[in-house]
Amino acid sequence: MKIYVPMDSAAKALGADEVAEAIRAEVEMRGLEAEIVRNGTRGMIWLEPLVEIDMDGERLAYGPISEDDVPALLDGKIEALGKVEDMPFFARQTRLTFGRCGLIDPLSLADYEVHGGLAGLRRAIAMPQDAIIDEVKLSGLRGRGGAGFPTGIKWDTVRLAKAPQKYIVCNADEGDSGTFADRMIMEGDPFTLIEGMAIAGLGCGATKGYVYTRSEYPDAVAVMRRAIEIARGAGVLGADVLGSGRAFDMEVRVGAGAYVCGEETSLLNSLEGKRGVVRAKPPLPALEGFLGRPTVVNNVISLATVPVIFAKGAEHYANFGLGRSKGTMPIQIAGNVKFGGLFETAFGMSLGELVNDIAGGTASGRPVKAVQVGGPLGAYLHPDQFDTPFGYEEFDGQKALIGHAGIVVFDDTADMLSMARFAMEFCAVESCGKCTPCRIGAVRGVETIDRIKEGDESAIPLLTDLCETMVDGSLCALGGFTPYPVMSALRHFPEDFTSQKEAAE
């Protein structure tokens, strides 16, 4: 008998460690033969801690389980939810990047290989650099961190650059509200990120990689560091990757948690031990990045998706999706919802289906008023826009962005003027201070919205002008995208701005 208890941070926050210890003690007391495996999460957070028991070849789920439920669980008195794969929330997904997450022991390389791990790397080893790059281009993979830039083009730029040293940098500085996919993959399937970075290194001619993450992710840091040690010991990393004669090694670096260090040039400055401020472009990091050398900077999900592309083929991956948005996206559902968690699906599902069907509507039972997609810099979408398919160009047509695909749901009690103010305040606090439109504009934005709140509707045109200045003049996306939530709130919910005078009186 194998008993799976997640070691994912979300599950641990809900008592998974206590449940695991209670199961260990109860198994020992009863003299049962059972192996307790600390797996990653299956992504259904409302059911955590979700315990799975594999006995006689059948793996059944139970949840949420508390430590007080353990005796009854082992007595067979708690009804099973069935197989995770048959549960509606899970069965409707297309799990490619997250295919192993929650299924395997995250720190068992043997378990990883049994479930298809390293097949992509072995295939890549037999390919020349240009063929590796062409495979990524053919897959249509685009950056999953927010910009949606074609991954293959970025890799090719680094490959063609002339330099004695090149680097692969994984941006794991996941700072957006309502996002947790990077953390889940690092805690639940770290070898897929390692494999993806190794393939990137082989394709670009880079021999060194770094995973840059935040100090708020201690569990992910510990798992990644241990996984790297295991991979190095097994010859997956090092001077002779899987006996190929080609080198690639990597390590984890931890930042202090500045939001702006999610921007690639700020991240590189921090990685070099400097203050995390934005660099002007050009030069691009692909030509002059870490320590002035050609550097690939990709998000966790972008790199973790590479192994499945090489294992199953670029055409297989490209067959999923919508238009230029190829493949799948792990959508993180959060906020006021009944069913929060991670839902990986092919691009193309409508926002309304995600919110009302998959997420089950609001937890409060009240009508949905707005959905913010793409973190604190993402636009607020109105229910009238819920037929918008989940795709890069489709969201751009709605003056919105997918970002890291976190969606945060609000019911009809939300005050959108307050949410717009929060966006400006967030930018003011998190600005690195390098450019004036962001550093000063966000402060003026808070002041201007406060005037509107006090009933001064003449300040609304001023707010619009200020947002245009920030979009056009900011050095990076922090100042450039802060107007998205502000202007979308003003555009779709004008009553929350124009009714302030009466409310103030």
Side-chain angles (χ1 to χ4, degrees):
M1 178 168 63
K2 281 188 178 181
I3 303 174
Y4 295 84
V5 185
M7 65 175 188
D8 178 86
S9 294
K12 289 171 74 170
L14 293 166
D17 281 350
E18 291 79 4
V19 170
E21 176 56 28
I23 290 174
R24 186 202 61 76
E26 193 73 17
V27 164
E28 186 177 312
M29 185 187 73
R30 297 185 185 203
L32 300 175
E33 289 188 15
E35 178 188 354
I36 298 172
V37 178
R38 301 304 302 273
N39 58 329
T41 180
R42 294 291 201 134
M44 297 176 285
I45 305 303
W46 75 95
L47 291 175
E48 295 289 6
L50 181 73
V51 176
E52 294 177 77
I53 299 178
D54 189 340
M55 193 162 53
D56 299 327
E58 187 173 44
R59 182 166 164 172
L60 300 177
Y62 304 81
I65 296 293
S66 70
E67 54 186 316
D68 294 335
D69 294 327
V70 169
L73 174 67
L74 295 180
D75 285 337
K77 294 179 179 177
I78 294 180
E79 185 178 355
L81 299 170
K83 295 179 180 179
V84 168
E85 291 77 10
D86 295 335
M87 297 169 67
F89 184 90
F90 201 92
R92 294 182 63 179
Q93 299 187 46
T94 303
R95 286 223 163 186
L96 297 180
T97 307
F98 280 77
R100 283 177 293 263
C101 194
L103 186 63
I104 64 170
D105 177 347
L107 291 174
S108 170
L109 189 58
D111 208 0
Y112 179 71
E113 287 196 73
V114 166
H115 290 87
L118 299 184
L121 179 56
R122 288 194 171 96
R123 180 177 172 226
I125 284 171
M127 301 167 69
Q129 286 187 351
D130 59 346
I132 292 174
I133 302 297
D134 287 344
E135 189 78 1
V136 177
K137 287 180 178 177
L138 184 62
S139 74
L141 180 66
R142 294 166 68 173
R144 297 292 190 250
F149 188 81
T151 304
I153 293 177
K154 183 182 288 189
W155 286 20
D156 209 19
T157 304
V158 174
R159 179 182 72 88
L160 295 172
K162 304 298 182 184
Q165 179 66 58
K166 300 176 184 180
Y167 298 97
I168 307 297
V169 173
C170 172
N171 183 348
D173 192 63
E174 187 175 47
D176 285 350
S177 49
T179 60
F180 39 83
D182 293 355
R183 177 187 59 73
M184 281 186 173
I185 207 79
M186 288 190 288
E187 293 176 0
D189 191 11
F191 292 119
T192 197
L193 177 55
I194 292 169
E195 184 179 355
M197 290 182 70
I199 293 171
L202 295 177
C204 300
T207 57
K208 183 70 177 178
Y210 295 93
V211 177
Y212 180 95
T213 191
R214 51 207 300 110
S215 57
E216 294 94 335
Y217 278 3
D219 291 343
V221 169
V223 173
M224 281 303 309
R225 283 181 169 159
R226 180 63 187 131
I228 289 170
E229 289 175 2
I230 293 168
R232 191 178 293 127
V236 177
L237 295 173
D240 186 18
V241 174
L242 291 181
S244 65
R246 297 153 82 180
F248 184 80
D249 210 343
M250 57 186 285
E251 62 183 88
V252 176
R253 293 284 180 91
V254 181
Y259 181 78
V260 76
C261 285
E263 192 278 331
E264 61 180 3
T265 63
S266 296
L267 183 157
L268 292 173
N269 273 339
S270 178
L271 192 60
E272 292 177 7
K274 301 171 184 174
R275 184 165 173 253
V277 297
V278 176
R279 300 176 184 176
K281 299 177 189 176
L284 296 170
L287 298 175
E288 293 183 33
F290 182 60
L291 301 178
R293 301 300 189 190
T295 304
V296 167
V297 183
N298 276 145
N299 166 262
V300 171
I301 302 304
S302 306
L303 290 163
T305 301
V306 169
V308 75
I309 290 171
F310 279 79
K312 297 191 175 183
E315 290 185 5
H316 176 270
Y317 187 79
N319 281 335
F320 297 95
L322 172 71
R324 291 178 55 216
S325 302
K326 302 290 187 183
T328 62
M329 189 71 171
I331 297 165
Q332 299 123 92
I333 301 168
N336 189 342
V337 290
K338 288 181 182 176
F339 308 125
L342 184 133
F343 188 89
E344 183 178 356
T345 185
F347 285 98
M349 182 176 285
S350 73
L351 182 60
E353 187 176 356
L354 280 165
V355 173
N356 296 320
D357 190 4
I358 305 300
T362 63
S364 62
R366 301 183 66 90
V368 175
K369 180 173 183 176
V371 178
Q372 187 175 33
V373 182
L377 309 183
Y380 289 100
L381 286 99
H382 190 277
D384 290 347
Q385 298 169 285
F386 277 12
D387 60 350
T388 304
F390 218 86
Y392 291 105
E393 282 68 38
E394 290 72 20
F395 265 62
D396 185 59
Q398 296 293 326
K399 297 184 178 179
L401 54 99
I402 286 178
H404 193 40
I407 68 173
V408 180
V409 178
F410 299 84
D411 72 11
D412 62 353
T413 62
D415 173 23
M416 300 312 293
L417 179 140
S418 296
M419 300 313 299
R421 186 188 189 280
F422 172 77
M424 285 292 190
E425 183 181 23
F426 179 85
C427 182
V429 170
E430 295 291 346
S431 174
C432 76
K434 180 139 186 187
C435 70
T436 304
C438 176
R439 183 183 70 249
I440 303 299
V443 176
R444 296 288 89 87
V446 172
E447 295 169 353
T448 305
I449 293 174
D450 282 344
R451 284 174 54 186
I452 297 169
K453 186 174 183 178
E454 291 167 6
D456 183 2
E457 292 183 14
S458 67
I460 292 178
L462 180 62
L463 178 63
T464 301
D465 285 349
L466 177 63
C467 284
E468 289 175 357
T469 300
M470 292 178 70
V471 168
D472 294 338
S474 296
L475 264 179
C476 83
L478 178 53
F481 282 172
T482 293
Y484 273 63
V486 176
M487 292 309 298
S488 60
L490 180 60
R491 186 164 58 249
H492 299 307
F493 309 96
E495 65 279 4
D496 285 8
F497 291 77
T498 56
S499 61
Q500 297 300 321
K501 185 174 183 179
E502 293 81 355
E505 292 172 351

Coordinates of all heavy atoms in Angstrom, one line a residue, residues 298-358:
N298 N 13.9 32.7 -19.5 CA 12.6 32.1 -19.7 C 11.9 31.8 -18.4 O 12.6 31.5 -17.4 CB 12.7 30.8 -20.5 CG 12.7 31.0 -22.0 OD1 13.4 30.2 -22.7 ND2 12.1 32.0 -22.5
N299 N 10.6 31.9 -18.4 CA 9.8 31.5 -17.2 C 9.8 30.0 -16.9 O 10.1 29.2 -17.8 CB 8.4 32.0 -17.5 CG 7.3 31.4 -16.6 OD1 6.7 30.5 -16.9 ND2 7.2 32.0 -15.4
V300 N 9.5 29.7 -15.7 CA 9.5 28.3 -15.3 C 8.6 27.4 -16.2 O 9.0 26.3 -16.7 CB 8.9 28.1 -13.8 CG1 8.7 26.7 -13.5 CG2 9.9 28.8 -12.8
I301 N 7.4 27.9 -16.5 CA 6.5 27.1 -17.3 C 6.9 26.9 -18.7 O 6.8 25.8 -19.3 CB 5.0 27.7 -17.2 CG1 4.6 27.8 -15.8 CG2 4.1 26.8 -18.0 CD1 4.6 26.5 -15.0
S302 N 7.6 27.9 -19.2 CA 8.1 27.8 -20.6 C 9.2 26.7 -20.6 O 9.1 25.8 -21.5 CB 8.8 29.1 -21.0 OG 7.9 30.2 -20.9
L303 N 10.1 26.7 -19.7 CA 11.2 25.7 -19.7 C 10.7 24.3 -19.3 O 11.1 23.3 -19.8 CB 12.3 26.2 -18.7 CG 13.1 27.4 -19.2 CD1 13.8 28.0 -18.0 CD2 14.0 27.0 -20.3
A304 N 9.7 24.3 -18.4 CA 9.2 23.0 -17.9 C 8.3 22.3 -19.0 O 8.0 21.1 -18.9 CB 8.3 23.2 -16.6
T305 N 7.9 23.1 -20.0 CA 7.1 22.5 -21.1 C 8.0 21.9 -22.2 O 7.6 21.1 -23.0 CB 6.2 23.6 -21.7 OG1 5.4 24.1 -20.7 CG2 5.4 23.1 -22.9
V306 N 9.3 22.4 -22.2 CA 10.2 21.9 -23.3 C 10.3 20.4 -23.3 O 10.3 19.8 -24.4 CB 11.5 22.6 -23.2 CG1 12.6 21.9 -24.0 CG2 11.4 24.1 -23.5
P307 N 10.5 19.7 -22.2 CA 10.6 18.2 -22.2 C 9.5 17.5 -22.9 O 9.7 16.5 -23.7 CB 10.7 17.8 -20.8 CG 11.3 19.0 -20.1 CD 10.7 20.2 -20.8
V308 N 8.2 17.9 -22.7 CA 7.1 17.2 -23.3 C 7.1 17.5 -24.9 O 6.7 16.6 -25.6 CB 5.8 17.6 -22.7 CG1 5.3 19.0 -23.1 CG2 4.7 16.6 -23.0
I309 N 7.6 18.7 -25.3 CA 7.7 19.0 -26.7 C 8.6 18.0 -27.4 O 8.4 17.5 -28.5 CB 8.1 20.4 -26.9 CG1 7.0 21.4 -26.5 CG2 8.5 20.7 -28.3 CD1 7.3 22.8 -26.5
F310 N 9.8 17.8 -26.7 CA 10.8 16.9 -27.3 C 10.4 15.4 -27.1 O 10.8 14.6 -28.0 CB 12.2 17.2 -26.7 CG 12.8 18.3 -27.3 CD1 12.5 19.6 -27.0 CD2 13.8 18.2 -28.3 CE1 13.0 20.7 -27.6 CE2 14.3 19.3 -29.0 CZ 14.0 20.6 -28.6
A311 N 9.7 15.1 -26.1 CA 9.3 13.7 -25.9 C 8.2 13.3 -26.9 O 8.2 12.1 -27.4 CB 8.8 13.5 -24.4
K312 N 7.2 14.2 -27.1 CA 6.1 13.8 -27.9 C 6.1 14.4 -29.3 O 5.3 14.1 -30.2 CB 4.8 14.2 -27.2 CG 4.6 13.5 -25.9 CD 3.2 13.7 -25.3 CE 3.0 12.8 -24.1 NZ 1.6 12.9 -23.5
G313 N 7.0 15.4 -29.5 CA 7.2 16.0 -30.9 C 6.5 17.3 -30.9 O 5.5 17.6 -30.3
A314 N 7.1 18.2 -31.7 CA 6.6 19.6 -31.8 C 5.2 19.7 -32.4 O 4.4 20.5 -31.9 CB 7.6 20.5 -32.6
E315 N 5.0 18.8 -33.4 CA 3.7 18.9 -34.0 C 2.5 18.4 -33.1 O 1.4 19.0 -33.1 CB 3.7 18.0 -35.3 CG 4.5 18.6 -36.4 CD 4.4 17.7 -37.7 OE1 3.6 16.8 -37.7 OE2 5.1 18.0 -38.6
H316 N 2.8 17.5 -32.2 CA 1.9 17.0 -31.2 C 1.5 18.2 -30.3 O 0.3 18.4 -30.1 CB 2.5 15.9 -30.4 CG 1.6 15.4 -29.3 ND1 1.6 16.0 -28.0 CD2 0.6 14.5 -29.2 CE1 0.7 15.4 -27.2 NE2 0.1 14.5 -27.9
Y317 N 2.5 18.9 -29.9 CA 2.2 20.1 -29.0 C 1.4 21.2 -29.7 O 0.5 21.8 -29.2 CB 3.5 20.6 -28.4 CG 3.3 21.7 -27.3 CD1 3.0 21.3 -26.0 CD2 3.4 23.0 -27.6 CE1 2.7 22.3 -25.0 CE2 3.2 24.0 -26.6 CZ 2.9 23.6 -25.4 OH 2.7 24.6 -24.4
A318 N 1.9 21.5 -30.9 CA 1.3 22.6 -31.7 C -0.2 22.3 -32.1 O -0.9 23.2 -32.5 CB 2.1 22.9 -32.9
N319 N -0.6 21.0 -32.1 CA -2.0 20.7 -32.4 C -3.0 21.2 -31.4 O -4.2 21.2 -31.7 CB -2.1 19.1 -32.6 CG -1.6 18.7 -33.9 OD1 -1.5 19.4 -34.9 ND2 -1.1 17.4 -34.0
F320 N -2.5 21.5 -30.2 CA -3.4 22.1 -29.2 C -3.3 23.6 -29.3 O -2.3 24.2 -29.7 CB -2.9 21.6 -27.8 CG -2.9 20.2 -27.5 CD1 -1.8 19.4 -27.7 CD2 -4.1 19.6 -27.1 CE1 -1.9 18.0 -27.4 CE2 -4.2 18.2 -26.8 CZ -3.0 17.4 -27.0
G321 N -4.4 24.2 -28.9 CA -4.4 25.7 -28.9 C -5.3 26.3 -29.9 O -6.2 25.7 -30.5
L322 N -5.1 27.7 -30.0 CA -6.0 28.5 -30.8 C -5.1 29.5 -31.5 O -4.4 30.3 -30.9 CB -7.0 29.2 -29.9 CG -7.8 30.3 -30.5 CD1 -8.9 29.7 -31.4 CD2 -8.5 31.2 -29.4
G323 N -5.2 29.5 -32.9 CA -4.4 30.5 -33.6 C -2.9 30.5 -33.3 O -2.3 29.4 -33.4
R324 N -2.4 31.6 -33.0 CA -0.9 31.7 -32.7 C -0.6 31.3 -31.2 O 0.5 31.2 -30.8 CB -0.4 33.1 -33.0 CG -0.3 33.4 -34.5 CD 0.1 34.9 -34.7 NE 1.4 35.1 -34.0 CZ 1.8 36.2 -33.4 NH1 0.9 37.2 -33.4 NH2 3.0 36.3 -32.8
S325 N -1.7 31.0 -30.5 CA -1.5 30.6 -29.1 C -1.5 29.0 -29.1 O -2.5 28.4 -29.0 CB -2.6 31.1 -28.2 OG -2.7 32.5 -28.2
K326 N -0.3 28.5 -29.2 CA -0.2 27.0 -29.3 C 0.0 26.3 -28.0 O 0.6 26.9 -27.1 CB 1.0 26.7 -30.2 CG 1.0 27.3 -31.6 CD 0.0 26.7 -32.5 CE 0.1 27.2 -33.9 NZ -1.0 26.6 -34.8
G327 N -0.5 25.1 -27.9 CA -0.2 24.3 -26.7 C -1.2 24.5 -25.6 O -2.4 24.9 -25.9
T328 N -0.8 24.3 -24.4 CA -1.6 24.5 -23.3 C -1.1 25.6 -22.3 O 0.0 26.0 -22.5 CB -1.7 23.1 -22.4 OG1 -0.3 22.9 -22.0 CG2 -2.2 22.0 -23.3
M329 N -2.0 26.0 -21.4 CA -1.7 27.0 -20.4 C -2.2 26.5 -19.1 O -3.4 26.2 -18.9 CB -2.3 28.3 -20.8 CG -1.8 29.5 -19.9 SD -0.1 29.9 -20.4 CE 0.2 31.4 -19.5
P330 N -1.3 26.5 -18.1 CA -1.8 26.2 -16.7 C -2.4 27.4 -16.1 O -1.7 28.4 -15.7 CB -0.5 25.8 -16.0 CG 0.6 26.4 -16.7 CD 0.1 26.6 -18.1
I331 N -3.8 27.4 -16.1 CA -4.5 28.6 -15.6 C -4.7 28.5 -14.1 O -5.2 27.4 -13.6 CB -5.9 28.7 -16.3 CG1 -5.6 29.0 -17.8 CG2 -6.7 29.9 -15.7 CD1 -6.8 28.7 -18.7
Q332 N -4.4 29.5 -13.4 CA -4.5 29.5 -11.9 C -5.7 30.2 -11.5 O -5.8 31.4 -11.7 CB -3.2 30.1 -11.3 CG -1.9 29.3 -11.7 CD -0.9 30.1 -12.4 OE1 0.0 30.7 -11.8 NE2 -1.0 30.2 -13.7
I333 N -6.6 29.5 -10.8 CA -7.9 30.1 -10.5 C -7.9 30.5 -9.0 O -7.7 29.6 -8.1 CB -9.0 29.1 -10.8 CG1 -9.0 28.7 -12.3 CG2 -10.4 29.6 -10.4 CD1 -9.9 27.5 -12.6
A334 N -8.2 31.8 -8.7 CA -8.1 32.2 -7.4 C -9.2 33.3 -7.1 O -9.9 33.7 -8.0 CB -6.7 32.8 -7.1
G335 N -9.2 33.8 -5.9 CA -10.1 34.9 -5.6 C -11.4 34.3 -5.0 O -11.4 33.2 -4.4
N336 N -12.5 35.0 -5.3 CA -13.8 34.6 -4.8 C -14.4 33.5 -5.7 O -15.3 33.8 -6.5 CB -14.7 35.8 -4.7 CG -16.0 35.5 -4.0 OD1 -16.4 34.4 -3.8 ND2 -16.7 36.6 -3.5
V337 N -13.9 32.2 -5.5 CA -14.4 31.1 -6.4 C -14.7 29.9 -5.5 O -14.1 29.7 -4.4 CB -13.4 30.7 -7.5 CG1 -13.3 31.8 -8.5 CG2 -12.0 30.4 -6.9
K338 N -15.6 29.0 -6.0 CA -15.9 27.8 -5.3 C -14.7 26.8 -5.4 O -14.4 26.1 -4.5 CB -17.2 27.2 -5.8 CG -18.5 27.9 -5.4 CD -19.7 27.2 -6.0 CE -21.0 27.9 -5.6 NZ -22.1 27.3 -6.3
F339 N -14.2 26.7 -6.6 CA -13.2 25.7 -6.9 C -11.9 26.4 -7.4 O -11.7 26.6 -8.6 CB -13.7 24.7 -7.9 CG -15.0 24.1 -7.6 CD1 -16.1 24.2 -8.5 CD2 -15.2 23.5 -6.4 CE1 -17.3 23.6 -8.2 CE2 -16.4 22.9 -6.1 CZ -17.5 23.0 -7.0
G340 N -11.0 26.7 -6.4 CA -9.8 27.3 -6.8 C -8.7 26.3 -7.0 O -8.7 25.2 -6.3
G341 N -7.7 26.6 -7.9 CA -6.6 25.7 -8.1 C -6.0 25.9 -9.5 O -6.2 26.9 -10.1
L342 N -5.3 24.8 -9.9 CA -4.6 24.9 -11.2 C -5.4 24.0 -12.2 O -5.7 22.9 -12.0 CB -3.2 24.4 -11.1 CG -2.4 24.5 -12.4 CD1 -1.0 25.2 -12.1 CD2 -2.2 23.2 -13.1
F343 N -5.7 24.6 -13.4 CA -6.4 24.0 -14.5 C -5.6 24.2 -15.8 O -5.6 25.2 -16.3 CB -7.8 24.6 -14.6 CG -8.7 23.9 -15.5 CD1 -9.5 22.8 -15.1 CD2 -8.8 24.2 -16.9 CE1 -10.4 22.2 -15.9 CE2 -9.6 23.6 -17.7 CZ -10.4 22.5 -17.3
E344 N -5.0 23.1 -16.2 CA -4.2 23.2 -17.5 C -5.1 22.7 -18.6 O -5.7 21.7 -18.6 CB -3.0 22.3 -17.4 CG -2.1 22.4 -18.7 CD -0.9 21.6 -18.7 OE1 -0.6 20.9 -17.7 OE2 -0.1 21.6 -19.7
T345 N -5.2 23.6 -19.6 CA -6.0 23.4 -20.7 C -5.4 24.0 -22.0 O -4.6 24.9 -21.9 CB -7.4 23.9 -20.5 OG1 -8.3 23.6 -21.6 CG2 -7.4 25.4 -20.4
A346 N -5.9 23.5 -23.1 CA -5.4 24.1 -24.4 C -6.0 25.5 -24.5 O -7.1 25.8 -24.0 CB -5.9 23.3 -25.6
F347 N -5.2 26.4 -25.1 CA -5.7 27.8 -25.4 C -7.0 27.7 -26.2 O -7.2 26.8 -27.0 CB -4.7 28.6 -26.2 CG -3.5 29.0 -25.4 CD1 -2.3 28.3 -25.5 CD2 -3.6 30.2 -24.7 CE1 -1.2 28.8 -24.8 CE2 -2.5 30.6 -24.0 CZ -1.3 29.9 -24.0
G348 N -7.9 28.5 -25.9 CA -9.2 28.6 -26.6 C -10.4 28.5 -25.8 O -11.5 28.9 -26.3
M349 N -10.3 28.0 -24.6 CA -11.5 28.0 -23.7 C -11.9 29.4 -23.4 O -11.1 30.3 -23.1 CB -11.2 27.2 -22.4 CG -12.4 27.0 -21.5 SD -12.1 26.0 -20.0 CE -12.1 24.4 -20.8
S350 N -13.2 29.7 -23.3 CA -13.7 31.0 -23.0 C -13.5 31.4 -21.5 O -13.5 30.5 -20.7 CB -15.1 31.2 -23.4 OG -16.0 30.5 -22.5
L351 N -13.3 32.6 -21.3 CA -13.2 33.1 -19.9 C -14.4 32.8 -19.1 O -14.3 32.4 -17.9 CB -12.9 34.6 -19.9 CG -12.7 35.2 -18.5 CD1 -11.4 34.6 -17.8 CD2 -12.5 36.7 -18.6
G352 N -15.6 32.9 -19.7 CA -16.8 32.6 -19.0 C -16.9 31.2 -18.6 O -17.4 30.8 -17.4
E353 N -16.5 30.2 -19.4 CA -16.5 28.8 -19.1 C -15.5 28.5 -17.9 O -15.9 27.8 -17.0 CB -16.1 28.0 -20.3 CG -16.2 26.5 -20.0 CD -16.0 25.6 -21.3 OE1 -15.7 26.2 -22.4 OE2 -16.0 24.4 -21.2
L354 N -14.4 29.2 -17.9 CA -13.4 29.0 -16.8 C -14.0 29.5 -15.5 O -13.9 28.8 -14.5 CB -12.1 29.8 -17.2 CG -11.2 29.1 -18.1 CD1 -10.1 30.1 -18.6 CD2 -10.5 27.9 -17.4
V355 N -14.6 30.7 -15.5 CA -15.1 31.3 -14.3 C -16.4 30.6 -13.8 O -16.5 30.3 -12.6 CB -15.3 32.8 -14.5 CG1 -16.0 33.4 -13.3 CG2 -14.0 33.5 -14.8
N356 N -17.4 30.5 -14.7 CA -18.7 30.0 -14.2 C -18.8 28.5 -14.1 O -19.5 28.0 -13.3 CB -19.8 30.6 -15.1 CG -19.9 32.1 -15.1 OD1 -19.8 32.7 -14.0 ND2 -20.0 32.7 -16.2
D357 N -18.1 27.8 -15.0 CA -18.2 26.4 -15.0 C -17.1 25.7 -14.3 O -17.3 25.0 -13.3 CB -18.2 25.9 -16.5 CG -18.6 24.4 -16.7 OD1 -18.9 23.8 -15.6 OD2 -18.5 23.9 -17.8
I358 N -15.8 25.9 -14.7 CA -14.7 25.2 -14.1 C -14.5 25.7 -12.6 O -14.4 24.9 -11.7 CB -13.4 25.5 -14.9 CG1 -13.6 25.0 -16.3 CG2 -12.2 24.8 -14.2 CD1 -13.9 23.6 -16.5

